Amino acid sequence: QVQLVESGGGSVQAGGSLRLSCAVSADGYSIYWMGWFRQPPGKEREGVAAINSMGVITYADSVNGRFTISRDSAKNTLYLQMNSLKPEDTAMYYCAAEWGTMSSVRALKYYEYRYWGQGTQVTVSS
């Protein structure tokens, strides 16, 4: 059983920053991959960033250099620091977790993940 709870969303002006958190509870096993995904209104869910238990990180091109993913195993929490936010970053943001190993490319595919949080809204105004 895995439970994920996101927090930290909100409204910000372009150029601003937000930090999302995802509290993780999982029975028994260490989660191998954790990721952040987002879904703008009327669009498909897309991968933003992912990190595995070995510290391997991958980012979508659209956020590389602006967003930073990290995980604190002691606190069982996943973070996404978002800087230089743009209006096109507006979306519902979700964290996700998966046990299995996969490539960094697959780690940004939403269909590779079985466990999801409920989402937190991020709105960036121009």
Side-chain angles (χ1 to χ4, degrees), residues 2 26 42-43 48 60-61 67 69 79 84 96 98 102 106-107 119 124:
V2 178
K43 296 186 178 180
V48 174
D61 290 343
F67 291 10
I69 189 171
Y79 301 100
S84 302
E98 181 54 58
M102 67 180 97
R106 288 172 58 194
V124 185

Side-chain angles (χ1 to χ4, degrees), residues 32 38 54 116:
Y32 195 75
R38 65 187 182 187
M54 301 299 290
W116 292 87

Side-chain angles (χ1 to χ4, degrees), residues 2-36:
V2 178
Q3 291 184 324
L4 308 171
V5 180
E6 302 97 334
S7 61
S11 297
V12 65
Q13 288 191 325
S17 298
L18 284 172
R19 188 175 82 155
L20 306 183
S21 299
C22 176
V24 183
S25 61
D27 295 333
Y29 301 97
S30 296
I31 296 171
Y32 195 75
W33 276 101
M34 294 198 68
W36 286 100

Side-chain angles (χ1 to χ4, degrees), residues 74-115:
K75 295 182 178 179
N76 291 329
T77 303
L78 178 73
Y79 301 100
L80 184 69
Q81 177 66 45
M82 305 185 295
N83 298 329
S84 302
L85 283 161
K86 304 175 181 180
E88 52 263 44
D89 294 318
T90 294
M92 184 71 78
Y93 283 71
Y94 300 89
C95 69
E98 181 54 58
W99 303 127
T101 59
M102 67 180 97
S103 70
S104 295
V105 172
R106 288 172 58 194
L108 289 180
K109 306 297 184 182
Y110 70 88
Y111 47 78
E112 298 286 355
Y113 291 79
R114 285 175 287 175
Y115 305 104

Side-chain angles (χ1 to χ4, degrees), residues 10 40 56 71 91 109:
V56 176
R71 62 194 287 178
K109 306 297 184 182

